[in-house]
Amino acid sequence: MTLAPLGAAAGPADDPLPAVTDDPPVADPPKGNPGVDQAMAAYQRGRQNYNLAQYEAALSDFQEAASLYASPDFQYNIGLCYEQLGKYDDAIRAFVTYLKTKPDAEDRPNVENRIRELQRDLERQERNGTGGTVVTPPPPLEDSPPPEDEEAPTSPGRGLIIAGAALAGVGGVVALGGGIAFGVLARNRGDAVNGVQFGGNPDDLTFSQAEALDAEGRRFEAIQIGMVAAGAAVAVTGAVLLAVGLRKRNSAKNPAPSAWIAPGMAGLALTGRF
Amino acid sequence: MSMSLHTVSPRVAALSFVGACTLMVGGCYTVEFDPTVGGAFRCNLEDEEIDSSCPSGMSCVNDHCEDEEALPSLAVLSPEDQLVLETSATVQGGADPFALSIRVQGSLTLVSATSGAEHVFGEGHVAVFIDNEEQAIIDEGGISSSTPVEIEITNNVPGPHRIALQARRNDGVDYDNEGAFATRLFWLENELEVGLRPFVAIKSPWPHTAFSTDDEDIEVELITRNFTLVPPNTMQADSTGHSHIYYDTPWPDCVLQPDGCDKDYLGVVGADGNRTQFTAPASGDETATITAVLRHVDHFPYGFPFECDPATEVNLCQPIFDEVTINRTSR
């Protein structure tokens, strides 16, 4: 588990705290504001205390920082502190606040997963009648992937999935519908011309009329081929977008285990987070 | 020899499958349009707003475009044009039939007229007409080289006689291209009157030529025997004069009627060679006659013998004329 960075004040890439997400975006705080400076100072103290496992002190520091500067990331760090203190209810509340105030958080799936884990821990805690002072290590994220049907509407790749599916559908309709429709027209013209040439010309068509039918048939054939090709191209584009979107969503749902296995569970550094 | 396996990506394969299904369901245009297919395209439509012409190299035959190089054609090689043959018959008739040898050549694959075969362009038989009466059918052997045909002439009165050949399809319909019809005109003269009795013949139009029902300019070409066509004049001369052209006038009966026939002629041949043109009035779909009547240079009726009057000396003097029937049709 790692503390959330605070823009330019974020820690070095080799910070020993574990990372929750790969690279959450953080807004730069305004410079030169006394309140912000105080908030940064409180944040730095909180980091130090957190690294020293002084979670009560770290919690106080982060709360102070949050009262001086409204950054969602402070709520995230507050949540971490509550979690380490076994105050799962408060931790959940802090993480929910974090997600509400940062709708585009890239680590949303992981935070939501963490919230569910905390809710289970909270239930277990209530069943056992244990108090809120038991410190439990952060559960490994890979043990509890969030169910797919609870996917948040703003999940990564959603736009690509929608666009891809739409393009694939439109392309398919154009390719199949247009191709079949103009194919039928072309075949009808072909049958008519064949009827003139080899079927006794039942409609008594003249050469110019048959020639016009032939030209019309070839035009329909060209349109048919064009629509199939264009529709297929659109469908392929849609399929590619769909695949990319699905891959992005899946990777967000199931972060790479390598980033979370083993030492991460102990709260040691896995990747640069700050 | 080495072989290599081709691999197709699943995506390409899927697209190909979709494309193939589309083509199977929708179909496609697989026709090779061939303008040279004979008998396929309709032509000669009455609706003038529709272009019913045939493509290059094709001609309209029986309302369908056919290959120009495969059109049936006929020719009469003998008797030669305007050949004079002697007969013992008089203008009143009264002689035994005699055999006329005709030589025919053409391009038509002969098929028995009674075989009931379906129409195949270029196949059929040849009908032989003498004076507009069908006299024989040629439907055996071949006519690519000169082919003799013996015809018995029963109408052997002195005067002009006409031979016509008509190429006919297996189904009995006449081929209507120009070359499928051949004609020849010859004379019969009484052996006792050779060189004496004048004759006139309408060489054009040929009997049963079709003309429209509108006002129609018709060109008439005459040939004469023992008679010289000259411009109208005042001095009568033996075997000399001109011809009046009548349209739908009942010759020779009109000669005996009170008004005669003189007021109804529409053209004169002799003033300028052996041709003239007159305008036939509009009519319905019907037949009509064109009659050429020889006249003295002063327009009086010409009779034989010379200086007799056909209008008064009916039993002695015969008017000299020729008549053809034409068809007026709205098609």
Side-chain angles (χ1 to χ4, degrees), chain B residues 146-214:
Chain B
S146 177
T147 303
V149 181
E150 294 292 325
I151 304 291
E152 188 177 72
I153 302 293
T154 54
N155 176 23
N156 55 6
V157 297
H161 293 269
R162 292 175 174 86
I163 301 170
L165 305 178
Q166 173 65 61
R168 191 168 281 170
R169 307 191 326 188
N170 291 339
D171 57 7
V173 176
D174 290 345
Y175 285 103
D176 66 359
N177 59 301
E178 189 174 351
F181 186 67
T183 61
R184 182 58 44 95
L185 190 146
F186 67 98
W187 302 104
L188 286 180
E189 280 189 328
N190 184 286
E191 54 198 13
L192 301 177
E193 296 176 333
V194 169
L196 298 177
R197 180 181 288 273
F199 296 107
V200 62
I202 299 174
K203 192 171 186 181
S204 175
W206 197 265
H208 297 293
T209 302
F211 294 92
S212 77
T213 52
D214 301 328

Side-chain angles (χ1 to χ4, degrees), chain A residues 175-176 179-180 183-184 186-187 189-191 193-194 196-198 201 204-211 213-215 217-218 221 224 228 232 236 240, chain B residues 11 15 18-19 21-35 37-43 45 50-56 64-65:
Chain A
L176 285 174
I180 289 173
V184 167
R187 187 174 58 182
R189 298 304 183 276
D191 290 345
V193 174
N194 263 335
V196 172
Q197 294 191 134
F198 309 112
N201 193 2
D204 268 351
L205 298 184
T206 66
F207 170 70
S208 62
Q209 290 170 325
E211 199 175 35
L213 271 181
D214 176 64
R218 292 185 186 284
E221 181 189 37
Q224 175 197 26
V228 170
V236 167
V240 169
Chain B
R11 191 170 295 167
L15 285 175
V18 170
C21 289
T22 303
L23 292 178
M24 278 195 300
V25 174
C28 53
Y29 193 79
T30 58
V31 176
E32 283 298 325
F33 185 61
D34 184 3
V37 174
F41 309 114
R42 179 68 195 271
C43 52
L45 289 179
I50 299 175
D51 176 10
S52 60
S53 61
C54 289
S56 176
H64 287 85
C65 299

